[in-house]
């Protein structure tokens, strides 16, 4: 009976004997596990309530055992007026991570030569390190042609462009480095910073048939934001050879271009182009057409005036930085306005009569438009149609029996006659990029 009463008394006292204290002060030899065993509060709960990121505790530290999680230290203000008192176990890197500042900034703000800290030391917290702005440029390897100088040696040229002499020789298809002599042009790689292109907005090329103002037109939209898109002249052969031409459909089949439109004007017998053409950074031919579509190796396009038309002959600096140039015209749109007065370089009356038309235009420097129609239009009517399509700047291409466009290797509108060259758009291009 006495044993039963004693057990009842002990059971009645148990809840009071094991009540969890509100807090506990860490003593020498304490660990979170020992405190958890002694108080009946789990290690995970103690860490949660006190905002601990590890099991490290220090003598004299007061740990709460009940209540909400402790708030994390308030970060220093942006003005950099915050202060922090160093505690046992603190490091500069941990303090910097807590307040969003670098170790170097903490050292500079507190005249510290090293990383050693003393418990109780008061640190000034500098302003948070500003986030690095996103890069706006990237470096690309672009190939260009340079002329060997009088004092240049193969060894010096190779070192200048980070190549071995043998690599330089093979890059230019030379049997011996002895062919690298003053006056010769050599292909060399250059590391060029260029703007990072915006995110593509559509497929590299889209093709459709539209009827603006009830005129049937074949239209290719090219998104130049794709790094793998290449716009280039397409020749009937491997090189520009006079007395040689091909129809648009034939050029498309041979080249593998995703879309291809006829090029600019040419001599009807010799097929010699009438204006400047730059292909893979090389000036293939030049003429007196005063404006051209010019595209950089990172696919920024513009309609630019031609210096060749003024000088009569090109300079080494003509079209510097351009990978592709196609001189054509006249200009029929400028800044979203229809042009009705044309350069005196265009004197052929047949150019301004009604004829089948092709044109190249820009909505922006990353949005190229190629257009062709066999409807008979004047130059002004063609300008109005392109404006209706959202084009802001445009140049006419050769028209009449030369007008034609092909999609996926097949002519949608084939040219009636052979043309000197076409303008092709290639997708998934992974080859070299060039600049003049």
């Amino acid at each position: 009976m006495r044993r039963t009463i004693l057990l009842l008394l002990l059971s009645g006292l148990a809840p009071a004997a094991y009540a969890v204290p509100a807090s506990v002060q860490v003593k020498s030899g304490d660990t979170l596990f020992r405190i958890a065993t002694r108080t009946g509060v789990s290690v995970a709960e103690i860490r949660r309530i006190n905002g601990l990121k590890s099991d490290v505790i220090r003598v004299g530290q007061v740990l709460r055992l009940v209540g909400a999680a402790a708030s994390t230290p308030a970060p220093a203000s942006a003005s950099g007026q915050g202060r922090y008192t160093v505690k046992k176990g603190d490091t500069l890197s941990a303090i910097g991570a807590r307040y969003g500042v670098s170790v170097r900034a903490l050292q500079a703000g507190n005249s510290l030569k090293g990383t050693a800290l003393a418990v109780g030391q008061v640190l000034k917290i500098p302003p948070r390190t500003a986030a690095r702005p996103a890069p706006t440029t990237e470096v690309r390897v672009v190939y260009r042609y340079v002329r060997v100088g009088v004092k240049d040696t193969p060894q010096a040229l190779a070192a200048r462009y980070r190549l071995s002499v043998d690599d330089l020789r093979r890059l230019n298809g030379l049997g011996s480095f002895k062919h690298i002599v003053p006056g010769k042009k050599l292909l060399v790689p250059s590391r060029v910073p260029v703007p990072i292109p915006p995110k593509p907005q559509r497929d590299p090329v889209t093709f459709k048939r539209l009827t603006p103002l009830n005129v049937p037109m074949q239209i290719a939209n090219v998104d130049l934001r794709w790094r793998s898109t290449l716009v280039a002249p397409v020749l009937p052969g491997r090189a520009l050879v006079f007395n040689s031409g091909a129809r648009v459909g034939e050029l498309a089949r041979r080249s593998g271009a995703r879309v291809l439109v006829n090029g600019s004007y040419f001599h009807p017998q010799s097929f010699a182009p009438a204006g400047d053409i730059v292909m893979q950074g090389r000036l293939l031919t030049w003429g007196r057409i005063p404006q051209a579509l010019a595209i950089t190796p990172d696919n920024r396009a513009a309609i630019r005036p031609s210096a060749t038309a003024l000088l009569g002959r090109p300079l080494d600096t003509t079209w510097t930085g351009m990978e592709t140039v196609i001189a054509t015209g006249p200009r029929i749109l400028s800044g979203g306005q229809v042009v009705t007065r044309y350069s005196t370089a265009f004197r052929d009356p047949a150019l301004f009569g009604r004829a089948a038309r092709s044109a190249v235009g820009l909505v922006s420097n990353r949005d190229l438009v190629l257009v062709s129609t066999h409807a008979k239009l004047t130059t002004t009517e063609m300008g109005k149609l392109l404006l209706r399509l959202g084009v802001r700047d445009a140049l006419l291409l050769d028209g009449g029996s030369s007008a034609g466009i092909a999609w996926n290797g097949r002519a949608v509108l084939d040219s009636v006659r052979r043309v000197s060259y076409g303008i092709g758009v290639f997708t998934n291009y992974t080859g070299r990029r060039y600049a003049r």
Side-chain angles (χ1 to χ4, degrees):
M1 183 69 174
R2 290 178 60 190
R3 184 180 181 88
T4 303
I5 293 172
L6 180 60
L7 289 172
L8 289 172
L9 287 173
L10 287 174
S11 63
L13 290 173
Y18 288 92
V20 178
S23 62
V24 64
Q25 189 172 28
V26 180
K27 299 175 183 178
S28 179
D30 273 346
T31 64
L32 282 184
F33 178 75
R34 288 181 180 179
I35 294 171
T37 303
R38 188 165 69 238
T39 62
V41 181
S42 69
V43 171
E45 187 69 6
I46 295 174
R47 288 180 59 176
R48 184 191 70 80
I49 293 172
N50 291 275
L52 302 177
K53 296 182 179 179
S54 70
D55 291 348
V56 177
I57 54 176
R58 64 182 184 279
V59 175
Q61 183 176 358
V62 176
L63 298 176
R64 294 192 298 156
L65 302 177
V66 293
S71 59
T72 57
S77 65
S79 61
Q81 300 302 311
R83 299 286 190 273
Y84 177 78
T85 302
V86 177
K87 299 178 178 63
K88 186 177 180 180
D90 277 342
T91 63
L92 278 181
S93 59
I95 295 170
R98 185 180 305 167
Y99 289 100
V101 296
S102 66
V103 170
R104 185 171 295 180
L106 283 170
Q107 289 173 320
N110 292 276
S111 301
L112 301 177
K113 294 183 179 180
T115 58
L117 296 174
V119 175
Q121 181 179 356
V122 177
L123 296 178
K124 291 183 290 185
I125 306 298
R128 286 192 176 190
T129 305
R132 290 185 179 181
T136 58
T137 60
E138 62 186 13
V139 176
R140 295 194 194 177
V141 176
V142 175
Y143 290 80
R144 62 191 179 94
Y145 290 89
V146 298
R147 195 179 297 277
V148 179
V150 175
K151 297 182 179 180
D152 285 333
T153 65
Q155 293 75 16
L157 281 169
R160 186 182 307 163
Y161 296 105
R162 305 181 188 180
L163 298 170
S164 68
V165 174
D166 198 50
D167 287 339
L168 181 62
R169 175 191 65 78
R170 284 190 284 107
L171 179 61
N172 288 275
L174 302 176
S176 169
F177 69 86
K178 294 181 180 179
H179 296 299
I180 301 175
V181 295
K184 185 174 183 61
K185 281 194 171 183
L186 293 179
L187 182 66
V188 295
S190 299
R191 288 155 182 82
V192 181
V194 297
I196 295 176
K199 183 179 179 181
Q201 296 184 0
R202 61 186 70 86
D203 290 342
V205 185
T206 56
F207 191 84
K208 53 197 170 186
R209 180 184 184 275
L210 296 177
T211 55
L213 303 177
N214 294 321
V215 176
M217 305 188 77
Q218 309 296 328
I219 303 160
N221 290 92
V222 184
D223 190 342
L224 295 175
R225 297 168 187 85
W226 291 90
R227 291 178 175 86
S228 57
T229 295
L230 172 69
V231 180
V234 174
L235 308 176
R238 290 189 174 183
L240 181 63
V241 179
F242 294 165
N243 302 311
S244 174
R247 295 175 68 185
V248 164
E250 186 179 358
L251 290 174
R253 286 192 299 274
R254 289 181 186 175
S255 66
R258 188 72 183 279
V259 66
L260 185 141
V261 70
N262 63 282
S264 188
Y265 310 102
F266 56 91
H267 191 279
Q269 278 78 48
S270 68
F271 290 91
D276 296 8
I277 297 179
V278 173
M279 179 178 178
Q280 293 185 331
R282 300 196 76 171
L283 184 64
L284 301 184
T285 186
W286 61 90
R288 297 183 60 82
I289 295 178
Q291 289 182 314
L293 171 69
I295 305 176
T296 62
D298 61 306
N299 281 347
R300 287 172 291 144
I303 292 175
R304 292 179 45 178
S306 168
T308 307
L310 300 175
L311 299 173
R313 290 186 62 84
L315 304 174
D316 279 351
T317 55
T318 301
W319 301 116
T320 296
M322 296 296 127
E323 179 175 49
T324 297
V325 174
I326 296 162
T328 186
R331 189 164 187 163
I332 55 175
L333 281 180
S334 178
Q337 300 293 321
V338 176
V339 177
T340 56
R341 299 183 64 181
Y342 311 112
S343 167
T344 55
F346 302 101
R347 299 170 182 158
D348 186 354
L351 177 65
F352 304 101
R354 291 189 175 276
R357 299 287 180 185
S358 293
V360 59
L362 294 172
V363 177
S364 74
N365 71 338
R366 300 279 188 178
D367 294 284
L368 177 69
V369 180
L370 306 177
V371 178
S372 189
T373 179
H374 280 180
K376 304 299 189 289
L377 302 171
T378 66
T379 54
T380 303
E381 289 170 343
M382 188 65 170
K384 291 178 179 178
L385 288 169
L386 289 174
L387 189 62
R388 179 63 65 94
L389 295 173
V391 176
R392 293 187 54 79
D393 295 277
L395 297 170
L396 274 183
L397 297 169
D398 197 4
S401 57
S402 296
I405 194 167
W407 170 245
N408 284 336
R410 299 182 62 181
V412 179
L413 297 176
D414 208 353
S415 58
V416 176
R417 67 171 176 172
R418 292 182 297 160
V419 297
S420 176
Y421 67 96
I423 304 170
V425 179
F426 300 85
T427 58
N428 300 317
Y429 177 77
T430 57
R432 294 174 183 158
R433 302 306 294 251
Y434 298 81
R436 181 158 162 79

PDB file of all heavy atoms in Angstrom, residues 192-212:
ATOM      1  N   VAL A 192      37.613  39.574 -81.463  1.00  0.00           N
ATOM      2  CA  VAL A 192      36.896  40.843 -81.587  1.00  0.00           C
ATOM      3  C   VAL A 192      35.744  40.911 -80.585  1.00  0.00           C
ATOM      4  O   VAL A 192      34.910  39.997 -80.546  1.00  0.00           O
ATOM      5  CB  VAL A 192      36.338  41.007 -83.021  1.00  0.00           C
ATOM      6  CG1 VAL A 192      35.618  42.341 -83.170  1.00  0.00           C
ATOM      7  CG2 VAL A 192      37.459  40.882 -84.040  1.00  0.00           C
ATOM      8  N   PRO A 193      35.682  41.974 -79.747  1.00  0.00           N
ATOM      9  CA  PRO A 193      34.513  42.131 -78.878  1.00  0.00           C
ATOM     10  C   PRO A 193      33.319  42.630 -79.685  1.00  0.00           C
ATOM     11  O   PRO A 193      33.437  43.594 -80.447  1.00  0.00           O
ATOM     12  CB  PRO A 193      34.970  43.189 -77.855  1.00  0.00           C
ATOM     13  CG  PRO A 193      36.044  43.955 -78.560  1.00  0.00           C
ATOM     14  CD  PRO A 193      36.701  43.009 -79.523  1.00  0.00           C
ATOM     15  N   VAL A 194      32.199  41.958 -79.551  1.00  0.00           N
ATOM     16  CA  VAL A 194      30.984  42.337 -80.280  1.00  0.00           C
ATOM     17  C   VAL A 194      29.809  42.350 -79.303  1.00  0.00           C
ATOM     18  O   VAL A 194      29.854  41.702 -78.259  1.00  0.00           O
ATOM     19  CB  VAL A 194      30.690  41.353 -81.435  1.00  0.00           C
ATOM     20  CG1 VAL A 194      31.801  41.377 -82.463  1.00  0.00           C
ATOM     21  CG2 VAL A 194      30.482  39.944 -80.905  1.00  0.00           C
ATOM     22  N   PRO A 195      28.748  43.113 -79.610  1.00  0.00           N
ATOM     23  CA  PRO A 195      27.575  43.106 -78.727  1.00  0.00           C
ATOM     24  C   PRO A 195      26.950  41.716 -78.641  1.00  0.00           C
ATOM     25  O   PRO A 195      26.865  41.001 -79.640  1.00  0.00           O
ATOM     26  CB  PRO A 195      26.617  44.098 -79.410  1.00  0.00           C
ATOM     27  CG  PRO A 195      27.478  44.937 -80.290  1.00  0.00           C
ATOM     28  CD  PRO A 195      28.603  44.054 -80.732  1.00  0.00           C
ATOM     29  N   ILE A 196      26.534  41.325 -77.445  1.00  0.00           N
ATOM     30  CA  ILE A 196      25.815  40.065 -77.288  1.00  0.00           C
ATOM     31  C   ILE A 196      24.449  40.225 -77.954  1.00  0.00           C
ATOM     32  O   ILE A 196      23.710  41.168 -77.655  1.00  0.00           O
ATOM     33  CB  ILE A 196      25.648  39.711 -75.803  1.00  0.00           C
ATOM     34  CG1 ILE A 196      27.016  39.454 -75.171  1.00  0.00           C
ATOM     35  CG2 ILE A 196      24.748  38.486 -75.632  1.00  0.00           C
ATOM     36  CD1 ILE A 196      26.966  39.199 -73.687  1.00  0.00           C
ATOM     37  N   PRO A 197      24.099  39.342 -78.887  1.00  0.00           N
ATOM     38  CA  PRO A 197      22.823  39.514 -79.583  1.00  0.00           C
ATOM     39  C   PRO A 197      21.647  39.312 -78.646  1.00  0.00           C
ATOM     40  O   PRO A 197      21.718  38.522 -77.699  1.00  0.00           O
ATOM     41  CB  PRO A 197      22.863  38.431 -80.668  1.00  0.00           C
ATOM     42  CG  PRO A 197      23.803  37.398 -80.135  1.00  0.00           C
ATOM     43  CD  PRO A 197      24.827  38.140 -79.341  1.00  0.00           C
ATOM     44  N   PRO A 198      20.552  40.027 -78.882  1.00  0.00           N
ATOM     45  CA  PRO A 198      19.347  39.792 -78.078  1.00  0.00           C
ATOM     46  C   PRO A 198      18.825  38.375 -78.299  1.00  0.00           C
ATOM     47  O   PRO A 198      19.234  37.682 -79.233  1.00  0.00           O
ATOM     48  CB  PRO A 198      18.342  40.835 -78.616  1.00  0.00           C
ATOM     49  CG  PRO A 198      19.152  41.805 -79.412  1.00  0.00           C
ATOM     50  CD  PRO A 198      20.352  41.062 -79.900  1.00  0.00           C
ATOM     51  N   LYS A 199      17.932  37.956 -77.438  1.00  0.00           N
ATOM     52  CA  LYS A 199      17.337  36.633 -77.560  1.00  0.00           C
ATOM     53  C   LYS A 199      16.523  36.550 -78.854  1.00  0.00           C
ATOM     54  O   LYS A 199      15.764  37.456 -79.171  1.00  0.00           O
ATOM     55  CB  LYS A 199      16.421  36.355 -76.363  1.00  0.00           C
ATOM     56  CG  LYS A 199      15.803  34.969 -76.361  1.00  0.00           C
ATOM     57  CD  LYS A 199      14.938  34.773 -75.127  1.00  0.00           C
ATOM     58  CE  LYS A 199      14.282  33.402 -75.120  1.00  0.00           C
ATOM     59  NZ  LYS A 199      13.420  33.210 -73.929  1.00  0.00           N
ATOM     60  N   PRO A 200      16.680  35.466 -79.639  1.00  0.00           N
ATOM     61  CA  PRO A 200      15.894  35.342 -80.875  1.00  0.00           C
ATOM     62  C   PRO A 200      14.394  35.435 -80.597  1.00  0.00           C
ATOM     63  O   PRO A 200      13.910  34.979 -79.562  1.00  0.00           O
ATOM     64  CB  PRO A 200      16.273  33.952 -81.391  1.00  0.00           C
ATOM     65  CG  PRO A 200      17.623  33.690 -80.825  1.00  0.00           C
ATOM     66  CD  PRO A 200      17.620  34.337 -79.464  1.00  0.00           C
ATOM     67  N   GLN A 201      13.669  36.023 -81.538  1.00  0.00           N
ATOM     68  CA  GLN A 201      12.232  36.226 -81.363  1.00  0.00           C
ATOM     69  C   GLN A 201      11.394  35.244 -82.171  1.00  0.00           C
ATOM     70  O   GLN A 201      10.198  35.144 -81.956  1.00  0.00           O
ATOM     71  CB  GLN A 201      11.876  37.676 -81.752  1.00  0.00           C
ATOM     72  CG  GLN A 201      12.535  38.709 -80.845  1.00  0.00           C
ATOM     73  CD  GLN A 201      12.110  40.118 -81.172  1.00  0.00           C
ATOM     74  OE1 GLN A 201      11.309  40.363 -82.093  1.00  0.00           O
ATOM     75  NE2 GLN A 201      12.613  41.079 -80.422  1.00  0.00           N
ATOM     76  N   ARG A 202      12.027  34.558 -83.103  1.00  0.00           N
ATOM     77  CA  ARG A 202      11.283  33.597 -83.935  1.00  0.00           C
ATOM     78  C   ARG A 202      12.295  32.624 -84.532  1.00  0.00           C
ATOM     79  O   ARG A 202      13.481  32.684 -84.208  1.00  0.00           O
ATOM     80  CB  ARG A 202      10.510  34.321 -85.046  1.00  0.00           C
ATOM     81  CG  ARG A 202      11.401  35.097 -85.994  1.00  0.00           C
ATOM     82  CD  ARG A 202      10.597  35.900 -86.987  1.00  0.00           C
ATOM     83  NE  ARG A 202       9.940  37.004 -86.325  1.00  0.00           N
ATOM     84  CZ  ARG A 202      10.527  38.190 -86.122  1.00  0.00           C
ATOM     85  NH1 ARG A 202      11.770  38.382 -86.491  1.00  0.00           N
ATOM     86  NH2 ARG A 202       9.899  39.163 -85.533  1.00  0.00           N
ATOM     87  N   ASP A 203      11.826  31.728 -85.383  1.00  0.00           N
ATOM     88  CA  ASP A 203      12.727  30.831 -86.085  1.00  0.00           C
ATOM     89  C   ASP A 203      13.726  31.639 -86.909  1.00  0.00           C
ATOM     90  O   ASP A 203      13.446  32.791 -87.279  1.00  0.00           O
ATOM     91  CB  ASP A 203      11.943  29.901 -87.002  1.00  0.00           C
ATOM     92  CG  ASP A 203      11.127  28.875 -86.226  1.00  0.00           C
ATOM     93  OD1 ASP A 203      11.433  28.659 -85.032  1.00  0.00           O
ATOM     94  OD2 ASP A 203      10.188  28.294 -86.807  1.00  0.00           O
ATOM     95  N   PRO A 204      14.892  31.060 -87.214  1.00  0.00           N
ATOM     96  CA  PRO A 204      15.876  31.816 -87.993  1.00  0.00           C
ATOM     97  C   PRO A 204      15.314  32.384 -89.300  1.00  0.00           C
ATOM     98  O   PRO A 204      15.617  33.515 -89.667  1.00  0.00           O
ATOM     99  CB  PRO A 204      16.976  30.779 -88.265  1.00  0.00           C
ATOM    100  CG  PRO A 204      16.874  29.818 -87.127  1.00  0.00           C
ATOM    101  CD  PRO A 204      15.409  29.737 -86.807  1.00  0.00           C
ATOM    102  N   VAL A 205      14.485  31.597 -89.992  1.00  0.00           N
ATOM    103  CA  VAL A 205      13.858  32.064 -91.228  1.00  0.00           C
ATOM    104  C   VAL A 205      12.415  31.571 -91.265  1.00  0.00           C
ATOM    105  O   VAL A 205      12.151  30.407 -90.977  1.00  0.00           O
ATOM    106  CB  VAL A 205      14.597  31.550 -92.486  1.00  0.00           C
ATOM    107  CG1 VAL A 205      13.980  32.165 -93.740  1.00  0.00           C
ATOM    108  CG2 VAL A 205      16.078  31.865 -92.425  1.00  0.00           C
ATOM    109  N   THR A 206      11.515  32.455 -91.594  1.00  0.00           N
ATOM    110  CA  THR A 206      10.119  32.064 -91.844  1.00  0.00           C
ATOM    111  C   THR A 206       9.736  32.546 -93.244  1.00  0.00           C
ATOM    112  O   THR A 206      10.168  33.614 -93.687  1.00  0.00           O
ATOM    113  CB  THR A 206       9.166  32.665 -90.799  1.00  0.00           C
ATOM    114  OG1 THR A 206       9.319  34.107 -90.770  1.00  0.00           O
ATOM    115  CG2 THR A 206       9.463  32.119 -89.416  1.00  0.00           C
ATOM    116  N   PHE A 207       8.928  31.738 -93.920  1.00  0.00           N
ATOM    117  CA  PHE A 207       8.559  32.059 -95.300  1.00  0.00           C
ATOM    118  C   PHE A 207       7.042  31.992 -95.432  1.00  0.00           C
ATOM    119  O   PHE A 207       6.411  31.067 -94.925  1.00  0.00           O
ATOM    120  CB  PHE A 207       9.209  31.057 -96.261  1.00  0.00           C
ATOM    121  CG  PHE A 207       9.109  31.447 -97.708  1.00  0.00           C
ATOM    122  CD1 PHE A 207      10.020  32.316 -98.267  1.00  0.00           C
ATOM    123  CD2 PHE A 207       8.087  30.955 -98.506  1.00  0.00           C
ATOM    124  CE1 PHE A 207       9.936  32.684 -99.602  1.00  0.00           C
ATOM    125  CE2 PHE A 207       7.989  31.312 -99.832  1.00  0.00           C
ATOM    126  CZ  PHE A 207       8.913  32.179-100.379  1.00  0.00           C
ATOM    127  N   LYS A 208       6.487  32.999 -96.115  1.00  0.00           N
ATOM    128  CA  LYS A 208       5.033  33.016 -96.272  1.00  0.00           C
ATOM    129  C   LYS A 208       4.646  33.793 -97.526  1.00  0.00           C
ATOM    130  O   LYS A 208       5.428  34.580 -98.069  1.00  0.00           O
ATOM    131  CB  LYS A 208       4.374  33.636 -95.041  1.00  0.00           C
ATOM    132  CG  LYS A 208       4.921  34.997 -94.653  1.00  0.00           C
ATOM    133  CD  LYS A 208       4.545  35.361 -93.235  1.00  0.00           C
ATOM    134  CE  LYS A 208       5.293  36.593 -92.754  1.00  0.00           C
ATOM    135  NZ  LYS A 208       5.069  36.895 -91.344  1.00  0.00           N
ATOM    136  N   ARG A 209       3.423  33.572 -97.928  1.00  0.00           N
ATOM    137  CA  ARG A 209       2.840  34.314 -99.042  1.00  0.00           C
ATOM    138  C   ARG A 209       1.770  35.233 -98.484  1.00  0.00           C
ATOM    139  O   ARG A 209       0.839  34.780 -97.828  1.00  0.00           O
ATOM    140  CB  ARG A 209       2.226  33.355-100.071  1.00  0.00           C
ATOM    141  CG  ARG A 209       1.589  34.045-101.270  1.00  0.00           C
ATOM    142  CD  ARG A 209       0.930  33.013-102.184  1.00  0.00           C
ATOM    143  NE  ARG A 209       0.388  33.601-103.392  1.00  0.00           N
ATOM    144  CZ  ARG A 209      -0.817  34.163-103.483  1.00  0.00           C
ATOM    145  NH1 ARG A 209      -1.634  34.179-102.406  1.00  0.00           N
ATOM    146  NH2 ARG A 209      -1.241  34.670-104.629  1.00  0.00           N
ATOM    147  N   LEU A 210       1.917  36.520 -98.735  1.00  0.00           N
ATOM    148  CA  LEU A 210       0.953  37.510 -98.270  1.00  0.00           C
ATOM    149  C   LEU A 210       0.464  38.333 -99.457  1.00  0.00           C
ATOM    150  O   LEU A 210       1.098  38.359-100.524  1.00  0.00           O
ATOM    151  CB  LEU A 210       1.581  38.435 -97.214  1.00  0.00           C
ATOM    152  CG  LEU A 210       2.020  37.786 -95.892  1.00  0.00           C
ATOM    153  CD1 LEU A 210       2.677  38.814 -94.990  1.00  0.00           C
ATOM    154  CD2 LEU A 210       0.841  37.131 -95.187  1.00  0.00           C
ATOM    155  N   THR A 211      -0.671  39.014 -99.239  1.00  0.00           N
ATOM    156  CA  THR A 211      -1.235  39.851-100.306  1.00  0.00           C
ATOM    157  C   THR A 211      -1.511  41.252 -99.774  1.00  0.00           C
ATOM    158  O   THR A 211      -2.674  41.689 -99.710  1.00  0.00           O
ATOM    159  CB  THR A 211      -2.519  39.227-100.865  1.00  0.00           C
ATOM    160  OG1 THR A 211      -3.434  38.998 -99.768  1.00  0.00           O
ATOM    161  CG2 THR A 211      -2.248  37.936-101.586  1.00  0.00           C
ATOM    162  N   PRO A 212      -0.486  42.002 -99.381  1.00  0.00           N
ATOM    163  CA  PRO A 212      -0.736  43.381 -98.949  1.00  0.00           C
ATOM    164  C   PRO A 212      -1.257  44.210-100.119  1.00  0.00           C
ATOM    165  O   PRO A 212      -0.745  44.119-101.240  1.00  0.00           O
ATOM    166  CB  PRO A 212       0.649  43.861 -98.487  1.00  0.00           C
ATOM    167  CG  PRO A 212       1.614  43.000 -99.233  1.00  0.00           C
ATOM    168  CD  PRO A 212       0.943  41.674 -99.375  1.00  0.00           C
TER     169      PRO A 212
END
